[in-house]
């Protein structure tokens, strides 16, 4: 492994990539493959370098749980706390202590670093000023109706589904039943029409009707003789 290969994964853009992979639920083996290193190397880096460890500590399940918890919180009456900060210069003793502590950590993680490099790293990492809170505002927020509707429709769809779709489904069911009944009636009518016993003779002339009646009478007389 090339010396200092881990350094590129301490850069901001690559730390963002690590966070995204962890958020997507990738395993350590998959993340190591994306980083082009062995999983044992990744474990060593996680133990040794705080930035990499913190970037990977949240996995997909934790993020999903946080989002669900956040959604639930919007469905209840809750409060939002807003804090405004101001920048003040650190106490000299506190600043010196923080810089000394970070310098020691940096030496351990970067044994090849020069004194100048350590000084620059400390100056970049440990700011002279710090934020302190000076105004705190608490606001009460009503439940979010849209969130409640979304939750109920997904958790209890049979009870809270959109009534428009429910009525449409009922109408389609009634239409299908009606069409089935019509088809049965049409089929029955065709079967009756094909039966010769149900044939009907239509006579539109009275004289032809009498002639037909006389023929039937003669036929009956001959059979009697």
């Amino acid at each position: 492994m090339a010396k200092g290969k881990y350094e590129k994964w301490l850069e901001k853009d690559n730390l963002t990539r690590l966070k995204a992979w962890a958020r997507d639920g990738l395993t350590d083996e998959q993340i190591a493959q994306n980083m082009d290193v062995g999983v044992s190397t990744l474990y060593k880096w996680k133990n040794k370098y705080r930035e990499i460890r913190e970037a990977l500590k949240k996995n997909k399940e934790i993020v999903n749980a946080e989002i669900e918890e956040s959604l639930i919180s919007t469905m209840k009456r809750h409060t939002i706390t807003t804090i405004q900060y101001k920048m003040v210069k650190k106490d000299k003793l506190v600043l010196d202590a923080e810089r000394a502590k970070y310098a020691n950590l940096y030496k351990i993680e970067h044994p090849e670093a020069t004194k100048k490099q350590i000084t620059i790293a400390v100056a970049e990492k440990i700011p002279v000023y710090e934020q302190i809170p000076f105004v705190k505002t608490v606001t009460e927020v009503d439940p979010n109706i849209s969130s409640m509707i979304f939750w109920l429709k997904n958790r209890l769809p049979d009870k809270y589904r959109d009534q428009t779709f429910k009525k449409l489904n009922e109408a389609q069911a009634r239409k299908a039943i009606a069409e089935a009944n019509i088809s049965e009636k049409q089929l029955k009518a065709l079967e009756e029409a094909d039966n010769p016993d149900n044939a009907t003779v239509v006579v539109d002339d009275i004289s032809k009707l009498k002639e037909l009646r006389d023929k039937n009478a003669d036929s009956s007389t001959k059979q009697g003789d």
Side-chain angles (χ1 to χ4, degrees), residues 20 28 35 37 60 62-63 82 95 122 126 138 141 153 159 205 209 214 216:
D28 286 342
M35 298 171 70
V37 298
K60 184 178 179 180
I62 294 176
V63 172
T82 304
L95 180 62
V122 170
I126 307 300
V138 178
V141 182
K153 282 187 176 181
K159 187 175 182 180
D205 193 328
L209 179 60
D214 293 340
N216 290 336

Side-chain angles (χ1 to χ4, degrees), residues 5 28-29 32-33 35-44:
K5 189 174 181 179
D28 286 342
E29 289 77 8
Q33 185 176 2
M35 298 171 70
D36 195 26
V37 298
V39 67
S40 60
T41 299
L42 175 60
Y43 290 150
K44 291 179 182 177

Side-chain angles (χ1 to χ4, degrees), residues 104-123:
N104 291 331
L105 290 174
Y106 192 84
K107 288 178 184 178
I108 295 174
E109 295 180 355
H110 307 81
E112 75 286 354
T114 65
K115 184 176 181 180
K116 183 178 180 180
Q117 289 174 329
I118 295 173
T119 302
I120 293 174
V122 170

Side-chain angles (χ1 to χ4, degrees), residues 150-161:
F150 174 82
W151 181 271
L152 290 173
K153 282 187 176 181
N154 283 276
R155 287 302 185 98
L156 301 171
D158 293 335
K159 187 175 182 180
Y160 292 99
R161 70 177 58 177

